[in-house]
Every structure is written in structure tokens, then in C-alpha cells.
């Protein structure tokens, strides 16, 4: 919710440096090479292969050279299975870090760091 995000920005003291823009990640109304970093938190990974590549190209387009992209996806680890047993197999197989790294690399990104935290996989990469 936009109001909650704005409240968090104000609480963090950065509301004057942030702008909230809602848009389709496959066609972002943002200027080329205008961001130092982009985060996809449990979003871009839900797209089909073609749409994923399109969204990833948009991420690359809006990032400055050397800009960083933080990719977060669900990791079906033991923690997730215990914490949310009612989801059963909803999230499918455990996140395949190598698959995501291959896709991100093919999209023009160098992998800087990969890791897990309970229930999630993260990959930090940099635009070539």
C-alpha cells in the first residue's frame, strides 16, 4: 500500500529523496540509466520465461553502468516448510540458485553474492 510505504519513508527520514511510481516491471516509465540500484523482492521470478527476460532487460535499462540488482525469491527450505506447512508444495522445489544465476548472467549481470536466509534466496549482481 502506497500510504504505508510513504509512512516508512518518512519514518526513515528519506521521503524527500524518494518517489513512489507504480508500473508494469516489463515496461517501466523511468529514464534510461537513472538508478544506482534495483530490487525485485519476490516479484520478477513469478513471470514466465519471456516476460522474465523482458523485465530483466528493463532493470538493465534503468540501471546506471555498474548499478546493482538485488534479486530475492522464495527458497523452499526447512524453515519455510515448518513455518508455513499449510502451503504444502505451493512453492514447488527448492529455489535453484544456479538456474537464477545463469538467467541473470545471460541478462547482462555479474553475480557478486548469493546466499540464503530463512525462506528466501538472494542474489546480488552488478550490471556489466
Amino acid at each position: 500500500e502506497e500510504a504505508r510505504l510513504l509512512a516508512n519513508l518518512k519514518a526513515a527520514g528519506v521521503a524527500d529523496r524518494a518517489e513512489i511510481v507504480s508500473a508494469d516491471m516489463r515496461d517501466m516509465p523511468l529514464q534510461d540509466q537513472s538508478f544506482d540500484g534495483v530490487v525485485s523482492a519476490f516479484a520478477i521470478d513469478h513471470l514466465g520465461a519471456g516476460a522474465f527476460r523482458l523485465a530483466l532487460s528493463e532493470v538493465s535499462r534503468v540501471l546506471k553502468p555498474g548499478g546493482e540488482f538485488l534479486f530475492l525469491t522464495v527458497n523452499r527450505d526447512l524453515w519455510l516448510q515448518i513455518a508455513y506447512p499449510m502451503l504444502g508444495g505451493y512453492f514447488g522445489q527448492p529455489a535453484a540458485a544456479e538456474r537464477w544465476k545463469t538467467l541473470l548472467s545471460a541478462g547482462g549481470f555479474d553475480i557478486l553474492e548469493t546466499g540464503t536466509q530463512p525462506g528466501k534466496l538472494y542474489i546480488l549482481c552488478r550490471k556489466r
Side-chain angles (χ1 to χ4, degrees), residues 10-81:
K10 286 180 183 175
V14 296
D16 61 328
R17 297 184 295 147
E19 179 183 355
I20 300 169
V21 177
S22 297
D24 186 327
M25 68 182 97
R26 297 164 296 181
D27 185 24
M28 294 188 263
L30 305 169
Q31 292 182 4
D32 294 358
Q33 300 183 2
S34 56
F35 290 88
D36 296 313
V38 172
V39 176
S40 173
F42 315 100
I44 195 173
D45 55 311
H46 290 277
L47 299 174
F52 177 87
R53 285 190 293 276
L54 184 57
L56 194 58
S57 70
E58 279 292 279
V59 169
S60 181
R61 181 185 65 77
V62 302
L63 277 174
K64 295 175 183 176
E68 294 184 353
F69 177 46
L70 178 60
F71 172 81
L72 297 156
T73 187
V74 172
N75 186 26
R76 189 174 164 236
D77 55 12
L78 181 59
W79 180 89
L80 189 73
Q81 293 175 41

Side-chain angles (χ1 to χ4, degrees), residues 53 56 100-109 128:
R53 285 190 293 276
L56 194 58
W100 290 119
K101 290 186 334 187
T102 298
L103 291 168
L104 292 164
S105 181
F109 292 89
R128 284 190 206 109

Side-chain angles (χ1 to χ4, degrees), residues 3 9 13 15 23 29 40 48 54 62 65 80 83-84 87 89 94-95 110 114 118 122-123:
L9 292 169
S40 173
L54 184 57
V62 302
L80 189 73
Y84 297 100
L87 296 176
D110 292 323
T114 302
Y122 70 88
I123 302 173

